[in-house]
Amino acid sequence: MPSRDFKRTDRVSAELRRELGTLVHAAVRDHGLPSCSVSDVEVTRDLDWATVWVTALLPEQSKDVVKTLNELAGEFRRSLSRSMRLRRVPELRFKYDDSVDKGERIDQLLRENPAPDADHQD
């Protein structure tokens, strides 16, 4: 039997990321949320739970964004059940993805403290 390059959870995660990206964008507009986007979706092997990682344009408002998105999770799940061909749509839990913030912080530190020029010899 040939090996499969992509597991089912990977395909479901990718589809959820696309669908939830659209739903979250609409929720931002409809509910007056601070700007945010879906950065990744991780689905458990049994497809019962999906962790949805979101980034916010204003990191200081991330807790409010995540709280509101978790409150809207049931509404998102119902919408997904109509648009996706899955027997059972996973329960959604939203979490804040701080990797972008950490990357910006590292970039800022590197700009403030440039490394000594390796080519320059004293």
Side-chain angles (χ1 to χ4, degrees):
M1 190 163 147
S3 68
R4 291 158 62 185
D5 291 328
F6 294 101
K7 296 181 285 195
R8 182 158 194 246
T9 55
D10 294 339
R11 292 192 310 268
V12 171
S13 292
E15 182 69 18
L16 281 170
R17 187 172 45 250
R18 279 191 297 277
E19 295 285 332
L20 282 167
T22 304
L23 292 172
V24 167
H25 180 72
V28 165
R29 191 180 58 241
D30 297 345
H31 295 279
L33 293 174
S35 186
C36 65
S37 61
V38 175
S39 61
D40 196 18
V41 176
E42 296 172 355
V43 180
T44 57
R45 187 185 277 164
D46 59 7
L47 301 177
D48 279 350
W49 286 93
T51 302
V52 184
W53 297 95
V54 293
T55 58
L57 190 60
L58 303 172
E60 58 276 3
Q61 295 178 332
S62 61
K63 286 184 180 174
D64 295 334
V65 169
V66 170
K67 181 176 183 273
T68 304
L69 291 175
N70 277 312
E71 290 169 0
L72 294 170
E75 198 176 306
F76 290 149
R77 194 167 174 232
R78 277 188 293 284
S79 181
L80 291 169
S81 71
R82 291 188 291 272
S83 65
M84 293 181 71
R85 290 177 29 207
L86 287 175
R87 254 185 253 142
R88 186 174 177 281
V89 174
E91 295 279 341
L92 304 173
R93 77 181 140 212
F94 289 85
K95 292 189 175 183
Y96 184 66
D97 180 1
D98 64 353
S99 61
V100 174
D101 301 339
K102 287 180 180 176
E104 287 177 359
R105 176 77 178 127
I106 290 170
D107 191 45
Q108 177 187 6
L109 289 171
L110 290 173
R111 279 194 309 266
E112 290 172 359
N113 305 305
D117 189 8
D119 296 334
H120 180 41
Q121 299 279 329
D122 285 323

